[in-house]
Amino acid sequence: MNFPTQARAVIIGGGIIGCSTAYHLAKLGWEVVLLERHKLTSGSTWHAAGLVGQLRTSANITQLLGESVKLYRTLEAETGLATGWKMNGGLRLACNEERWIEVKRQATTARSFGLEMHLLTPSEAQKLWPLMDVHDVIGAAFLPTDGQANPSDITASLAKGARMAGAKIFENVEVTGFEIEKGRVVAVLTDQGRIACEVAVNCAGQWAREVGRMAGVNVPLVSVEHQYMVTERIEGVTPGLPTLRDPDRLTYYKEEVGGLVMGGYEPNPIPWAQKGFPKNFEFQLLGSNFDHFTPLMELAMGRVPALQTAGIKQLINGPESFTPDGNFILGEAPELAGFFVGAGFNAFGIAAGGGAGKVLAEWVAGGEPPYDLWPVDIRRFGRNHQDVEWVRARTLQAYARHYTIAYPSEEFTTGRPLRRSPLYATLKVQGAVFGEKLGWERPNWFAAPGEVAEDQYTYKRPNWFSAVAREHKAIREAVGVIDQTSFAKFMLVGRDAEAALSWICANDVAKKPGSLIYTQMLNARGGIECDLTVARLSETEYYIVTGTGFATHDFDWIKRNIPGDLDAYLIDITSANAVFSLMGPDARRVLEKLTSDDVSNAGFPFGQCRKLCIAGAPVLALRVTYVGELGWELHIPVEFASTVYEALMAAGEEFGIANAGYRAIETLRLEKGYRAWGGDIGPDYTPLEAGLGWAVKLKKGTAFLGRGALVEQRDQKLKKMLATFTVDDPEVILLGRETIYRNGERVGWLASGGFGHTIGKPIGMGYVRNAAGVDEDFVLSGSYELEVAGERVPARVHLAPLYDAKMERIKA
């Protein structure tokens, strides 16, 4: 086969992800070339353990993993090559009360997402896995559709399937660089020649960061040593033995040729290739580290006594790529058009391989992901992920937490503090307990004197509950200040700024200077890609504010969708301004003491922005609320921030002004029914389904991205509708992903959950789904229950806000 000079897509990397992407992209009719530096599977695929589990905390990532299973069940028949696929099910054990709550909640999540999962007693679990000792087991969960595969065989089968569909695969070809023109990749350069292309797909595994660097693209992953042991045959190990995960003992197991594969996730992982990769590292393992593996072995022998006398074939030490949050990386790089990434699979590349290749191929072919893939989207990363040492420190902690209990609201501790508001030290002295988002330190809650100023994690009521209730009450009844400096802030400037934003925004931004507009930005399907506020400063300037974690994503979305013939430029000014939200019924009285500018309702109405002078500082004030009370966001040049904060606190003292944090924001917004992107709304939900049709300019007839889909949907019955749910029992803890039952039938799950301190009840928000269509009458007429950790509790449904401060109070 002659070496090609052009292809529509060039895939770099011949592991399971690269071969799966080639397989699916070729089946979509694309001309595909796959390049592998050595031989197929020679990186980390060949030594993978091969367990295939499906359940994740995201419905869509669970769906993606389900696509892997669907493919693996039929692939051998399609290609004629064995895959080693066995759907022998998967067991997960719980050995303490908190873990058992976690497992029961996972079972509820599985039911929410339509995945079969059964809760078992210890004796029932032992019948499925007779070799284990269950003296310390409280309970277990069984997923019958989980399984295992042979990594090399399944990759070879995918490669054959790709060739059958027309893909060309070349081994022993090294990529040396890329050609880039006008911000787009146009060719892949190799040691055997140049290949012109429309798209390059980086599936280079643990080498993906190096490949990305050649194109100016950051791929935040690092290599970590990962060991597992293969035993000789063990009496009682049968081919149909389920895979087993024993997270409290940090270990996993699968059957292999009558013996066991046993591995795990140590609390003290060892990084690899910190100074670069060895040359020609292919089909190689690292030296077995028995000292490091011994603690896992001791834990395993307590679970499987037969390991005490089993013969050991091999202790395999193979490096694999891991990421700072434990999720893999998919999507088009924000730095470079036409450059896609599929890497960083955190030792579940075999489980994800079939589905990840499918959605990545569909993303390449369709120009956007086939459904919401935000948990694994490369645009979730930011400026803090540029430094490999920071990435390594965070990644090692993520690895060490792989099998620890995933507590609600748990924060990482490594690489902190990094990005700090000017108020960081001040707030810390005042009892702030910080969380971290995209490297930013953000106050989550404030401990009072005598309270322990740290998070104590649990599945029960957390230690910050009463502190958040105090902050919630202060904002509802008096006034509070929230440091939201971490907000992402952009300027869109240029002669055609209005035309550009009018195309990208669903709401009407063609307003007079001084206007503040809450708007979504939609994809072609009408799904919500961004949810933000836009302040018009002048005829040629807009100031855009969005959530901290969406900085890279939203900047990329706006920039890519500015029509090419318009004079409009997007600039990230996040670091220029601090932001303090002054919220509560007494907010105006505080502000009036600090400025001579007119902040009355007549002088400064709701939905407006003004430049004020506050305590000597120039401030851009936005009259807006995300907590359901009178308030302003105050955007202040960083050098003035401390002065303004001190003035606010002094002026507000007579009104009982209080600091508040992000956890109070969550409780306040749930009571008002305000939506959160990434949970309640996202690319799979339209404004009409989310109850946000009032924020869409459909009546104007103005063209905007996604309009056609909304017009079509408007004339049909909706298939799902966002609703709010409450539970009368205040002891019930809603976290999100609880199953929604209407008249006894499963109709969805909660997208978010929490507690409303004003109404004194647990609150959740989620979509009620019905294939035959839903409307307000359908939603409100049902009798509802929520499944919480395996138990159904009665619930009430609502479409109106649970708490209403009367908009005249907010807007007065």
Side-chain angles (χ1 to χ4, degrees):
M1 192 190 314
N2 292 330
F3 193 74
T5 58
Q6 64 180 42
R8 195 170 181 194
V10 176
I11 297 169
I12 302 150
I16 190 167
I17 308 303
C19 288
S20 178
T21 305
Y23 169 90
H24 287 101
L25 200 50
K27 286 202 158 196
L28 291 173
W30 274 54
E31 180 193 15
V32 176
V33 166
L34 184 147
L35 306 176
E36 164 54 47
R37 181 167 55 175
H38 300 301
K39 300 291 183 185
L40 297 185
T41 78
S42 64
S44 56
T45 295
W46 72 278
H47 61 70
L51 282 72
V52 178
Q54 298 168 84
L55 182 62
R56 294 294 183 272
T57 56
S58 157
N60 285 358
I61 304 307
T62 297
Q63 177 184 333
L64 181 154
L65 297 169
E67 293 286 351
S68 292
V69 170
K70 195 182 299 183
L71 174 63
Y72 298 164
R73 294 172 76 171
T74 61
L75 188 62
E76 183 173 337
E78 178 187 346
T79 66
L81 290 184
T83 62
W85 167 248
K86 288 194 298 187
M87 196 168 76
N88 46 352
L91 266 174
R92 179 176 289 264
L93 306 181
C95 301
N96 59 66
E97 186 184 356
E98 289 274 302
R99 178 74 73 181
W100 184 228
I101 294 173
E102 179 186 53
V103 168
K104 287 190 290 186
R105 284 188 173 272
Q106 288 171 337
T108 292
T109 297
R111 272 189 279 280
S112 291
F113 301 164
L115 190 63
E116 188 179 354
M117 186 172 179
H118 305 284
L119 293 174
L120 308 178
T121 64
S123 60
E124 288 171 333
Q126 193 174 38
K127 285 177 183 174
L128 290 173
W129 229 89
L131 284 82
M132 67 175 170
D133 183 323
V134 294
H135 76 277
D136 61 337
V137 175
I138 293 176
F142 180 62
L143 287 92
T145 57
D146 278 2
Q148 63 188 66
N150 182 299
S152 293
D153 287 351
I154 211 158
T155 304
S157 191
L158 284 165
K160 182 176 180 183
R163 289 188 183 101
M164 289 165 62
K168 297 175 181 176
I169 297 176
F170 295 87
E171 297 177 310
N172 301 307
V173 177
E174 183 164 2
V175 172
T176 57
F178 299 89
E179 277 186 23
I180 297 165
E181 291 181 6
K182 297 179 179 178
R184 184 173 193 92
V185 64
V186 296
V188 177
L189 307 178
T190 80
D191 59 358
Q192 297 189 29
R194 174 186 184 273
I195 308 175
C197 62
E198 292 179 21
V199 166
V201 188
N202 177 5
C203 298
Q206 56 192 332
W207 291 269
R209 184 162 50 84
E210 289 192 340
V211 171
R213 190 185 298 126
M214 288 191 279
V217 168
N218 184 41
V219 184
L221 54 79
V222 294
S223 298
V224 182
E225 295 186 14
H226 186 72
Q227 295 193 106
Y228 65 83
M229 178 184 72
V230 185
T231 75
E232 302 284 359
R233 287 183 177 273
I234 297 175
E235 186 70 30
V237 174
T238 59
L241 197 69
T243 61
L244 174 67
R245 291 169 179 83
D246 186 6
D248 291 310
R249 290 177 181 257
L250 309 178
T251 49
Y252 61 79
Y253 308 80
K254 76 161 190 171
E255 180 274 338
E256 186 161 300
V257 198
L260 288 175
V261 166
M262 186 281 288
Y265 291 85
E266 323 88 87
N268 55 340
I270 300 173
W272 183 67
Q274 291 172 268
K275 302 301 180 185
F277 294 98
K279 194 74 175 167
N280 299 320
F281 188 85
E282 59 172 318
F283 293 117
Q284 291 181 48
L285 296 170
L286 307 179
S288 299
N289 190 334
F290 286 94
D291 288 343
H292 199 246
F293 195 73
T294 295
L296 289 181
M297 186 66 191
E298 290 171 349
L299 290 167
M301 287 190 296
R303 177 68 64 223
V304 186
L307 289 175
Q308 297 171 19
T309 55
I312 309 301
K313 275 186 183 177
Q314 196 175 8
L315 180 61
I316 291 175
N317 186 0
E320 299 196 38
S321 62
F322 291 81
T323 66
D325 61 4
N327 285 323
F328 48 91
I329 304 172
L330 290 181
E332 189 171 14
E335 302 96 329
L336 181 61
F339 190 95
F340 288 78
V341 178
F345 280 83
N346 300 277
F348 57 95
I350 309 306
K358 182 176 189 291
V359 298
L360 187 55
E362 290 170 356
W363 198 331
V364 169
E368 59 185 39
Y371 45 82
D372 182 8
L373 293 169
W374 175 241
V376 299
D377 193 316
I378 192 171
R379 293 170 294 179
R380 73 186 187 272
F381 299 117
R383 297 172 71 178
N384 52 310
H385 296 96
Q386 298 288 335
D387 176 39
V388 68
E389 294 307 321
W390 191 96
V391 168
R392 183 173 288 110
R394 177 59 57 85
T395 299
L396 292 175
Q397 186 179 18
Y399 179 105
R401 278 170 43 168
H402 189 91
Y403 273 161
T404 61
I405 296 173
Y407 286 114
S409 304
E410 188 172 8
E411 297 278 351
F412 283 100
T413 57
T414 48
R416 298 178 57 186
L418 183 62
R419 305 174 79 179
R420 286 180 261 189
S421 155
L423 293 190
Y424 175 79
T426 301
L427 298 182
K428 192 165 189 177
V429 168
Q430 296 185 51
V433 180
F434 291 91
E436 179 262 331
K437 181 69 68 75
L438 220 60
W440 280 100
E441 294 294 319
R442 312 192 309 172
N444 275 341
W445 61 281
F446 288 80
E451 292 179 341
V452 178
E454 65 178 36
D455 289 334
Q456 296 170 357
Y457 299 115
T458 177
Y459 270 101
K460 299 172 184 175
R461 185 157 280 180
N463 70 310
W464 58 81
F465 185 83
S466 59
V468 171
R470 284 195 305 267
E471 297 165 26
H472 181 112
K473 180 180 172 68
I475 288 176
R476 281 277 180 261
E477 298 180 5
V479 61
V481 175
I482 310 166
D483 182 1
Q484 297 193 271
T485 296
S486 65
F487 270 155
K489 285 100 46 181
F490 314 139
M491 287 289 294
L492 186 76
V493 299
R495 184 179 62 250
D496 299 320
E498 179 187 304
L501 268 190
S502 291
W503 167 248
I504 302 169
C505 293
N507 208 344
D508 183 10
V509 296
K511 303 276 182 75
K512 291 188 289 188
S515 299
L516 180 66
I517 305 101
Y518 167 63
T519 185
Q520 285 79 46
M521 295 175 172
L522 312 180
N523 56 39
R525 304 187 311 274
I528 300 169
E529 291 286 348
C530 309
D531 179 70
L532 39 74
T533 52
V534 174
R536 186 159 201 180
L537 304 186
S538 72
E539 295 296 332
T540 59
E541 298 173 297
Y542 286 90
Y543 184 77
I544 301 170
V545 185
T546 191
T548 306
F550 316 134
T552 305
H553 174 278
D554 289 8
F555 189 91
D556 178 72
W557 181 264
I558 297 167
K559 186 178 178 183
R560 287 181 188 270
N561 285 289
I562 296 172
D565 59 345
L566 296 185
D567 179 66
Y569 305 93
L570 191 65
I571 307 160
D572 188 338
I573 61 163
T574 297
S575 299
N577 288 343
V579 181
F580 305 148
S581 291
L582 181 71
M583 297 285 158
D586 291 325
R588 178 178 287 114
R589 296 163 76 186
V590 174
L591 212 51
E592 285 173 337
K593 294 176 67 174
L594 298 174
T595 182
S596 57
D597 292 300
D598 184 0
V599 294
S600 69
N601 190 55
F604 195 157
F606 186 79
Q608 297 289 302
C609 63
R610 297 280 187 276
K611 292 182 178 178
L612 307 177
C613 288
I614 298 177
V619 175
L620 176 64
L622 311 184
R623 181 88 188 276
V624 67
T625 183
Y626 190 56
V627 297
E629 297 294 346
L630 170 70
W632 285 265
E633 280 177 20
L634 306 176
H635 293 247
I636 309 155
V638 290
E639 68 270 27
F640 293 98
S642 294
T643 298
V644 171
Y645 173 77
E646 290 163 4
L648 289 170
M649 297 306 282
E653 187 175 5
E654 67 174 290
F655 307 112
I657 196 167
N659 288 307
Y662 273 78
R663 290 185 181 149
I665 294 174
E666 183 68 5
T667 67
L668 291 156
R669 73 99 184 166
L670 282 171
E671 287 186 337
K672 281 296 297 179
Y674 291 146
R675 282 70 167 141
W677 195 90
D680 311 316
I681 55 176
D684 293 344
Y685 306 112
T686 71
L688 303 184
E689 295 164 340
L692 295 170
W694 57 269
V696 179
K697 58 192 175 199
L698 280 180
K699 291 180 182 176
K700 284 196 71 174
T702 307
F704 63 89
L705 182 56
R707 186 181 194 281
L710 292 192
V711 169
E712 186 177 337
Q713 189 179 60
R714 182 187 59 186
D715 298 331
Q716 302 172 355
K717 235 182 176 184
L718 298 174
K719 305 297 184 190
K720 57 183 179 287
M721 182 179 290
L722 187 64
T724 301
F725 298 86
T726 56
V727 175
D728 288 340
D729 181 356
E731 298 304 313
V732 170
I733 295 173
L734 300 180
L735 300 173
R737 300 183 301 281
E738 292 84 359
T739 316
I740 303 168
Y741 290 92
R742 179 185 180 274
N743 298 340
E745 293 186 12
R746 179 170 60 89
V747 294
W749 61 88
L750 296 186
S752 57
F755 192 87
H757 292 282
T758 305
I759 68 168
K761 293 181 181 181
I763 304 171
M765 295 175 69
Y767 287 84
V768 176
R769 293 164 163 82
N770 182 36
V774 298
D775 55 21
E776 290 192 7
D777 288 341
F778 178 88
V779 171
L780 295 174
S781 65
S783 174
Y784 288 89
E785 295 172 299
L786 300 175
E787 183 182 321
V788 183
E791 295 183 11
R792 293 196 193 183
V793 297
R796 302 176 190 270
V797 68
H798 315 265
L799 291 176
L802 300 171
Y803 167 82
D804 199 337
K806 308 292 185 197
M807 285 309 285
E808 59 263 26
R809 179 165 124 188
I810 297 173
K811 295 184 176 182

